[in-house]
């Protein structure tokens, strides 16, 4: 009996302590976290149970020019896309540490956005879709971005290292040579390009443009601009437009791009004005990615002079994109790809081919001139921007020639695909080569030329 009398009060004390503990563990919500019905919004983390520690570090992407652009703005977003914490890493010596409740978060970092040049969202109004936008009259810096999803367990200390990658390209030089002496002004415009970078890493605004004014160098007809400028990526299907002004007015020559002007590339635009049977402008856009190299070539002529938009030109087509494996305006639809902005990229192949090009073997300029002249013959129902296929595209044609031929025959195509013959294609370094399914082939007068064009539908 004595032992029972001693244990009973102890039991009461333990029960009371347990009840008090349950009462003290009740979640606390701020006014912003309660909806109109008085119910707590459970997916928004609160500071009341912030028992986890998150340390954030940054590092540059492993390239030959590894570096970080400071300051680095770090945003921690809840599952609902709301910013719950924000911090700034000002230099490599800066370390940030945040106290957060257990849960899953998106950690986003934007480097190189100096507040004197950009409108930067603050924690109070920041969300996944918030835009870091250039201020009026300012120029882009070396913008970088990183993102990671993290899950924090209760009372966990977590160190997160974010690898930053460039989100801008660097336009290094624009030069046009052999310009006629009576030309008084030369400009080059890239459009459209994106206008801002969102906290979630997506680009925003697709109506931007950048115009470069060139200066004349001596009496050799060379016009150049070497001012280095950071730009956000060009929208898929963007156009490079060259304008030459003389006493009679301004002539414009445009080239429709595919995906060439991308972030993390150094861009040089080089053009040559050529006066032969007609007026044409040939040029090279060379891009040195900080970790590699790319060369892209293009052709412009009087046939696409002016500002009237056309298929494959500088204005997307409004309407439904044709399906891959069908015919569109007399051309075969080789591929169809949906883009992140809701538009659709379509690659067209001419229904016919040509051969018998006249050029000097081993003379790159002679081959380029012959190909450019041949491409001008493929004007089809207003489709412009004709080019040689890439290696991947010519391989796709060869691998599917039976299916393609069936469609071409049904549509009364002029020429079907013959896999045993050689076909011109554009190499990744910008040069021209020939592909033959039966083995390597040097191009000659028997090499076939098929014209391709990239078209954007909205």
């Amino acid at each position: 009996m004595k032992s029972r009398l001693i244990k009973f009060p102890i039991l009461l004390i333990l029960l009371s302590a347990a009840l008090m503990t349950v009462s003290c563990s009740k979640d606390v919500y701020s006014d912003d976290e309660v909806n109109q019905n008085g119910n707590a919004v459970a997916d928004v983390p609160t500071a009341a149970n912030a028992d986890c520690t998150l340390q954030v570090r940054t590092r540059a992407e492993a390239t030959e020019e590894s570096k970080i652009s400071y300051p680095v703005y770090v945003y921690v977003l809840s599952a609902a896309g709301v910013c719950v914490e924000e911090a700034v890493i000002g230099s490599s010596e800066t370390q940030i540490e945040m106290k957060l409740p257990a849960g899953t978060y998106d950690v986003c970092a934007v480097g190189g956005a100096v507040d004197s040049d950009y409108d930067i969202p603050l924690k109070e109004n920041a969300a996944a879709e918030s835009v870091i936008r250039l201020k009026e009259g300012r120029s882009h810096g070396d913008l970088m971005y990183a993102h990671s999803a993290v899950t924090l367990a209760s009372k966990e200390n977590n160190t997160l290292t974010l690898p930053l990658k460039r989100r801008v390209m660097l336009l290094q030089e624009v030069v046009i040579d052999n310009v006629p002496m009576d030309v008084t002004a030369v400009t080059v415009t890239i459009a459209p390009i994106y206008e801002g970078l969102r906290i979630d890493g997506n680009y925003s605004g697709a109506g931007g443009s950048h115009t470069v004014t060139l200066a004349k160098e001596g009496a050799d007809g060379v016009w150049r601009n070497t001012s280095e400028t950071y730009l956000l990526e060009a929208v898929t299907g963007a156009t490079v437009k060259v304008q030459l002004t003389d006493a009679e007015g301004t002539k414009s020559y445009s080239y429709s791009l595919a995906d060439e002007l991308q972030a993390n590339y150094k861009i040089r635009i080089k053009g040559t004005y050529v006066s032969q049977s007609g007026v044409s402008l040939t040029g090279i856009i060379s891009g040195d990615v900080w970790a590699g190299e790319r060369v892209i070539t293009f052709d412009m002529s009087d046939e696409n002079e002016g500002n009237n938009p056309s298929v494959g030109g500088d204005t997307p087509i409004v309407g439904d994109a044709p399906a891959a494996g069908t015919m569109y305006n007399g051309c075969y639809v080789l591929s169809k790809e949906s883009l992140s902005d809701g538009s659709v990229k379509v690659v067209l192949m001419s229904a016919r081919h040509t051969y018998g090009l006249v050029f000097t073997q081993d003379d790159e300029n002679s081959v380029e001139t012959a190909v450019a002249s041949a491409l001008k013959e493929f004007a089809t129902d207003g489709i412009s921007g004709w080019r040689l296929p890439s290696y991947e595209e010519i391989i796709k044609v060869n691998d599917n020639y039976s299916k393609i031929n069936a469609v071409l025959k049904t549509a009364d195509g002029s020429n079907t695909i013959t896999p045993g013959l050689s076909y011109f294609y554009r190499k990744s370094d910008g040069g021209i080569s020939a592909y033959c399914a039966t083995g390597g082939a040097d191009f000659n007068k028997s090499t076939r030329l098929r014209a391709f064009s990239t078209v954007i539908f909205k």
Side-chain angles (χ1 to χ4, degrees):
M1 176 68 77
K2 183 176 181 181
S3 61
R4 290 182 181 178
L5 290 175
I6 293 174
K7 292 179 180 179
F8 185 74
I10 294 176
L11 180 60
L12 288 176
I13 293 171
L14 292 175
L15 287 173
S16 299
L19 290 173
M20 291 177 65
T21 300
V22 172
S23 177
C24 292
S25 67
K26 182 179 180 181
D27 290 331
V28 178
Y29 300 95
S30 67
D31 291 340
D32 293 338
E33 295 153 3
V34 179
N35 63 23
Q36 294 179 353
N37 297 322
N39 297 321
V41 182
D43 59 354
V44 179
T46 71
N49 57 346
D51 61 348
C52 304
T53 301
L54 176 65
Q55 293 180 331
V56 179
R57 300 174 181 174
T58 57
R59 66 175 176 85
E61 184 183 20
T63 68
E64 296 178 358
E65 300 181 25
S66 295
K67 71 169 191 174
I68 294 177
S69 296
Y70 293 102
V72 177
Y73 286 84
V74 179
Y75 297 91
V76 180
L77 307 179
S78 70
V82 177
C83 181
V84 296
E85 283 294 341
E86 178 211 22
V88 180
I89 301 176
S91 68
S92 58
E93 290 77 29
T94 305
Q95 295 182 353
I96 63 172
E97 183 175 297
M98 307 177 190
K99 294 292 185 180
L100 296 165
T104 298
Y105 302 91
D106 285 307
V107 182
C108 306
V110 180
V114 181
D115 58 5
S116 60
D117 295 333
Y118 293 86
D119 289 322
I120 301 171
L122 301 177
K123 174 184 174 181
E124 294 74 23
N125 55 15
E129 65 274 9
S130 297
V131 179
I132 296 174
R133 196 185 309 275
L134 265 181
K135 293 181 178 178
E136 186 70 27
R138 311 301 288 186
S139 299
H140 281 294
D142 192 6
L143 283 184
M144 296 182 169
Y145 183 81
H147 162 266
S148 182
V150 296
T151 299
L152 302 178
S154 180
K155 298 181 180 180
E156 179 180 61
N157 294 326
N158 192 303
T159 299
L160 175 65
T161 301
L162 293 171
L164 288 160
K165 298 182 181 181
R166 282 188 178 89
R167 296 294 279 158
V168 290
M169 58 184 172
L170 178 60
L171 182 61
Q172 291 186 304
E173 179 185 50
V174 181
V175 57
I176 308 294
D177 59 24
N178 204 35
V179 177
M181 296 304 295
D182 57 351
V183 170
T184 57
V186 179
T187 61
V188 174
T189 300
I190 302 172
I193 55 179
Y194 290 108
E195 301 172 65
L197 180 65
R198 297 183 2 164
I199 288 178
D200 62 7
N202 292 314
Y203 292 113
S204 71
S209 66
H210 180 71
T211 298
V212 178
T213 300
L214 280 61
K216 186 177 182 180
E217 290 187 354
D220 295 330
V222 177
W223 292 68
R224 188 188 310 269
N225 184 302
T226 56
S227 300
E228 292 193 341
T229 306
Y230 289 105
L231 301 171
L232 296 181
E233 276 192 5
V235 178
T236 299
T239 296
V240 171
K241 177 182 289 185
V242 180
Q243 292 185 304
L244 307 179
T245 301
D246 56 23
E248 297 181 358
T250 299
K251 290 184 178 181
S252 298
Y253 305 89
S254 297
Y255 174 73
S256 181
L257 303 171
D259 304 313
E260 289 88 351
L261 301 183
Q262 297 175 333
N264 207 31
Y265 275 78
K266 294 178 180 178
I267 306 297
R268 284 185 172 88
I269 299 176
K270 298 181 178 181
T272 300
Y273 184 90
V274 180
S275 179
Q276 295 176 338
S277 57
V279 179
S280 65
L281 184 69
T282 61
I284 295 176
I285 301 176
S286 62
D288 293 327
V289 68
W290 273 261
E293 181 176 347
R294 170 190 289 171
V295 179
I296 305 140
T297 63
F298 62 89
D299 171 73
M300 292 177 284
S301 69
D302 278 350
E303 292 179 0
N304 59 2
E305 178 189 340
N307 298 317
N308 294 325
S310 61
V311 177
D314 51 4
T315 301
I317 305 303
V318 177
D320 295 331
T326 64
M327 298 294 290
Y328 175 80
N329 282 13
C331 303
Y332 180 81
V333 182
L334 183 65
S335 65
K336 176 182 178 181
E337 177 186 358
S338 297
L339 305 177
S340 58
D341 62 357
S343 60
V344 179
K345 180 174 73 174
V346 168
V347 174
L348 302 177
M349 182 188 73
S350 61
R352 62 185 181 86
H353 67 247
T354 189
Y355 63 96
L357 277 62
V358 179
F359 51 83
T360 302
Q361 197 76 29
D362 299 325
D363 185 336
E364 293 182 4
N365 290 332
S366 177
V367 176
E368 287 283 358
T369 299
V371 168
S373 177
L375 286 172
K376 285 191 274 187
E377 300 176 4
F378 285 87
T380 306
D381 293 334
I383 297 175
S384 62
W386 289 114
R387 57 176 174 80
L388 290 180
S390 66
Y391 178 78
E392 292 76 16
E393 288 170 339
I394 202 65
I395 290 295
K396 185 172 184 177
V397 170
N398 181 78
D399 290 346
N400 297 277
Y401 74 92
S402 296
K403 176 183 176 182
I404 295 173
N405 285 343
V407 177
L408 291 179
K409 290 177 181 178
T410 301
D412 194 26
S414 300
N415 310 107
T416 54
I417 305 296
T418 304
L421 300 178
S422 64
Y423 290 86
F424 286 104
Y425 74 90
R426 183 74 67 179
K427 298 188 294 183
S428 60
D429 64 1
I432 296 176
S433 188
Y435 172 81
C436 180
T438 59
D442 293 328
F443 44 78
N444 51 50
K445 291 184 179 180
S446 297
T447 301
R448 266 56 176 171
L449 185 149
R450 289 262 179 184
F452 287 63
S453 180
T454 301
V455 183
I456 303 299
F457 289 83
K458 287 197 173 182

